[in-house]
Amino acid sequence: QKEVEQNSGPLSVPEGAIASLNCTYSDRGSQSFFWYRQYSGKSPELIMFIYSNGDKEDGRFTAQLNKASQYVSLLIRDSQPSDSATYLCAVGAGNNNDMRFGAGTRLTVKP
Amino acid sequence: DGGITQSPKYLFRKEGQNVTLSCEQNLNHDAMYWYRQDPGQGLRLIYYSQIVNDFQKGDIAEGYSVSREKKESFPLTVTSAQKNPTAFYLCATARVFGANVLTFGAGSRLTVL
């Protein structure tokens, strides 16, 4: 079982719609959760992090965490073509808070 | 202009050659990391360093070596022992070790001919 799992996609949504990206993790002791965006050929850039159960909103982005279900999601409202990228879920776990990355979900927003 | 500089951006290597990827940061971050990214896979940790003159193996350290002689620099050597070195290599830093917010460099793409 992979430590951090994401649907590889591609996920395609029309411009203006809500994109929903999901991530599950195996280590129940995980404490920190991150979403990175990676454009093709570029390095990842941090979008959001969340530590507590519930929702965290930042502009058009909302991260949702459910530790009981070991599930974290990212919602992108009013999706724009510029949001088209691969979204990486990362989870901090273990004594050293080791970061574990999912393989990423490729999102395409169609004009 | 604070940030992380990785060089070279693209590198071609013949089989049997060692190559060194540079990572320099001026963020004054204590922790530095090297990740490898292959298509369809998540980032995998090669080596990390918590402080100067200290580094630890990550999940896939075989065939790689590092040094941390200065706080600003964490070069990665891909040795001939690495059987499948073609990949995208990412250097990252964190303010302190265990602080999970990572800042990434632009990456180095290594291709073995």
Side-chain angles (χ1 to χ4, degrees):
Chain A
Q1 181 188 6
K2 292 183 180 179
E3 294 179 84
V4 180
E5 294 206 50
Q6 298 180 252
N7 187 327
S8 61
L11 174 66
S12 183
V13 300
E15 185 175 356
I18 296 175
S20 178
L21 306 165
N22 304 316
C23 172
T24 58
Y25 58 94
S26 60
D27 186 342
R28 191 169 285 277
S30 299
Q31 297 293 321
S32 51
F33 308 86
F34 302 81
W35 284 99
Y36 287 85
R37 178 176 62 200
Q38 186 176 26
Y39 292 113
S40 181
K42 304 296 185 182
S43 61
E45 53 182 335
L46 181 70
I47 297 176
M48 292 191 69
F49 58 86
I50 185 167
Y51 296 147
S52 304
N53 276 330
D55 295 359
K56 180 180 178 182
E57 186 175 318
D58 184 1
R60 295 187 296 113
F61 299 95
T62 298
Q64 299 175 317
L65 175 61
N66 185 325
K67 288 187 177 180
S69 300
Q70 296 175 240
Y71 174 92
V72 58
S73 65
L74 179 70
L75 301 178
I76 306 174
R77 290 181 299 280
D78 188 24
S79 295
Q80 301 297 310
S82 59
D83 294 326
S84 298
T86 296
Y87 289 80
L88 304 175
C89 173
V91 176
N95 293 334
N96 291 329
N97 240 350
D98 291 338
M99 289 284 274
R100 299 297 176 183
F101 285 83
T105 298
R106 187 159 56 93
L107 172 67
T108 300
V109 180
K110 296 187 175 179
Chain B
D1 186 21
I4 303 169
T5 301
Q6 287 190 243
S7 62
K9 188 172 183 178
Y10 298 97
L11 184 61
F12 298 89
R13 187 194 96 171
K14 294 181 180 179
E15 286 192 16
Q17 286 182 335
N18 293 353
V19 294
T20 297
L21 308 180
S22 171
C23 178
E24 302 282 331
Q25 56 108 352
N26 61 7
L27 299 170
N28 200 32
H29 285 178
D30 285 337
M32 298 187 73
Y33 306 80
W34 274 105
Y35 287 91
R36 168 179 172 145
Q37 187 175 35
D38 295 280
Q41 296 192 39
L43 278 63
R44 293 184 290 167
L45 183 63
I46 305 172
Y47 267 97
Y48 64 92
S49 169
Q50 300 182 46
I51 56 173
V52 176
N53 293 322
D54 176 77
F55 51 83
Q56 305 294 330
K57 292 181 179 180
D59 298 324
I60 57 165
E62 185 175 353
Y64 299 97
S65 66
V66 294
S67 63
R68 185 87 186 274
E69 297 177 0
K70 299 186 300 181
K71 186 175 185 178
E72 300 80 13
S73 179
F74 192 41
L76 174 74
T77 297
V78 184
T79 75
S80 56
Q82 170 49 236
K83 297 306 179 188
N84 186 20
T86 295
F88 188 45
Y89 290 88
L90 289 159
C91 177
T93 68
R95 186 175 53 81
V96 294
F97 181 73
N100 299 115
V101 178
L102 297 176
T103 301
F104 287 90
S108 293
R109 189 168 299 278
L110 172 64
T111 302
V112 173
L113 302 174

